[in-house]
Amino acid sequence: MRKGLLFVLRAAALGVLAFSAASASAQAWPSKPITMLNPFPAGGGTDTFARPIAAKLSQQLGEQVLIENQGGAGGTVGASNAAKRASDGYNWFFGAVHHTIAESLYTRLPYSLERDFDPITVAAFVPNVVVVHPKHADKFKTLKDLIDYARANPGKLNYGSAGSGTTHHLAVELFKTMTNTQLVHIPYRGAGPLMIDLLAGQVDLAFDGMGTSAQQIKAGKLIPLAITSKARNAVLPNVPTVDEAGVPGYDVRTWYAIWAIHGTPKDIKDRMYKEVVTAMNLPDLKRIWAEQGADAGGMPPEEFAKLIKSEIAKWAKVVQDAGAKVDN
């Protein structure tokens, strides 16, 4: 009886010590700069949301939160590097829906999104927008014009993407399947480099993220034909959805999110989630999101984990049905 009581008391003491250690860990963190790896080049859609959040987190946490851009292979190069980093609370991953696509598109990923990363929350949901260069203004006044031309001239139009396996890529592959059209894929190393050639007229069209195209559309440098989400967007209220424009059932949104490196202490992950949600509720970040036509995320990690699982399954079907392949 006495031994049993001693065992219980020791277990309780160990529990108190563990709780105290965890509390101390959360209170001590952060004590040095934090790195958030963005697996796409600077200037793309991911940066549009990652940098404002990082700036606010720097203020809230009292330590600088640095964005490190590492583009390549549809975001998988940066993801692979992030997965190898220390899970000490000073390394984080700011990825995108593209990484749920990569799970089925790439046959030999050196990492697993669900195994090597712990979900924190979605930062933003953003529709893509079908845009063409103004040189096509007379030819394509509507999305139906583009579809009719593509059917009559298979392989004559090209489209740019932020890389193989991104929503820029798979959104068009889904579109091609649903419209029986043939468009030539030109992959770039991120939305930034894509935008340069799109504005120069080197690329005919793109299903680009609203975050990178909105300002160019307002400046008259790109022409919007349709919004890829099921509902119209407040930034471009007069632009129809792809569904409305003649492709029933079409619905695609890009989202950007934050993950911890697997093994990061739970108390630190909980703190980061709380700080990110606080930042996204600030008026100036709400304004930035609204300007990009984005809906704020903020879902708890458990809900985000469910979204990841459902998105992996959704895009695996798109990859299979479209016969999509990675461009080397």
Side-chain angles (χ1 to χ4, degrees):
M1 184 75 172
R2 186 172 180 179
K3 287 182 179 179
L5 179 59
L6 286 172
F7 176 80
V8 171
L9 290 173
R10 284 172 184 167
L14 288 172
V16 170
L17 287 172
F19 177 77
S20 299
S23 299
S25 164
Q27 290 172 4
W29 179 87
S31 59
K32 61 181 180 179
I34 294 166
T35 297
M36 201 168 277
L37 194 149
N38 171 0
F40 299 100
T46 318
D47 254 8
T48 301
F49 301 99
R51 291 188 180 275
I53 286 180
K56 291 301 179 185
L57 289 175
S58 297
Q59 296 173 5
Q60 292 169 200
L61 294 171
E63 290 287 349
Q64 194 169 11
V65 178
L66 305 169
I67 297 296
E68 178 183 343
N69 296 88
Q70 277 191 16
T76 60
V77 170
S80 176
N81 290 336
K84 299 171 187 172
R85 296 197 171 179
S87 55
D88 56 3
Y90 293 94
N91 295 286
W92 302 81
F93 181 60
F94 201 106
V97 60
H98 314 318
H99 296 93
T100 63
I101 297 171
E103 294 288 306
S104 57
L105 190 65
Y106 290 81
T107 55
R108 293 183 180 177
L109 280 180
Y111 69 91
S112 164
L113 188 63
E114 293 184 285
R115 182 193 66 222
D116 296 321
F117 297 96
D118 296 337
I120 301 300
T121 194
V122 172
F125 291 96
V126 191
N128 289 50
V129 54
V130 184
V131 288
V132 296
H133 188 271
K135 70 180 182 181
H136 294 302
D138 293 335
K139 192 186 303 179
F140 306 138
K141 295 187 182 302
T142 67
L143 185 65
K144 186 177 184 304
D145 292 338
L146 187 149
I147 293 171
D148 290 343
Y149 179 88
R151 284 174 176 164
N153 301 275
K156 290 290 182 68
L157 290 175
N158 63 50
Y159 74 94
S161 80
S164 296
T166 61
T167 45
H168 300 77
H169 173 204
L170 268 294
V172 183
E173 292 301 316
L174 177 60
F175 176 81
K176 286 164 56 179
T177 299
M178 295 178 72
T179 58
N180 191 29
T181 53
Q182 294 181 32
L183 304 169
V184 178
H185 182 207
I186 302 178
Y188 288 82
R189 291 174 64 88
L194 159 63
M195 183 56 69
I196 292 171
D197 275 9
L198 186 59
L199 292 173
Q202 299 300 314
V203 178
D204 292 317
L205 64 115
F207 281 47
D208 190 39
M210 183 73 80
T212 47
S213 277
Q215 296 305 317
Q216 307 299 342
I217 291 169
K218 290 178 180 178
K221 296 179 179 179
L222 291 175
I223 297 174
L225 297 181
I227 301 294
T228 64
S229 56
K230 205 154 193 176
R232 291 197 183 198
N233 191 271
V235 171
L236 300 170
N238 296 323
V239 177
T241 67
V242 174
D243 181 287
E244 291 173 327
V247 190
Y250 188 93
D251 181 19
V252 171
R253 287 194 303 173
T254 294
W255 48 263
Y256 304 99
I258 299 171
W259 282 263
I261 312 305
H262 181 62
T264 300
K266 184 178 183 305
D267 56 326
I268 293 178
K269 291 187 293 186
D270 290 345
R271 172 90 183 276
M272 178 60 88
Y273 169 69
K274 178 183 175 182
E275 297 291 348
V276 169
V277 171
T278 297
M280 288 194 298
N281 280 315
L282 296 173
D284 45 350
L285 259 64
K286 284 185 174 182
R287 176 182 51 78
I288 293 171
W289 266 230
E291 288 173 350
Q292 307 305 323
D295 293 321
M299 62 177 62
E302 297 78 14
E303 288 184 31
F304 181 26
K306 291 177 183 177
L307 174 66
I308 292 167
K309 195 171 290 294
S310 66
E311 288 285 270
I312 288 174
K314 168 188 171 179
W315 289 110
K317 186 176 187 308
V318 173
V319 167
Q320 182 178 6
D321 292 348
K325 292 180 173 32
V326 175
D327 297 330
N328 296 319

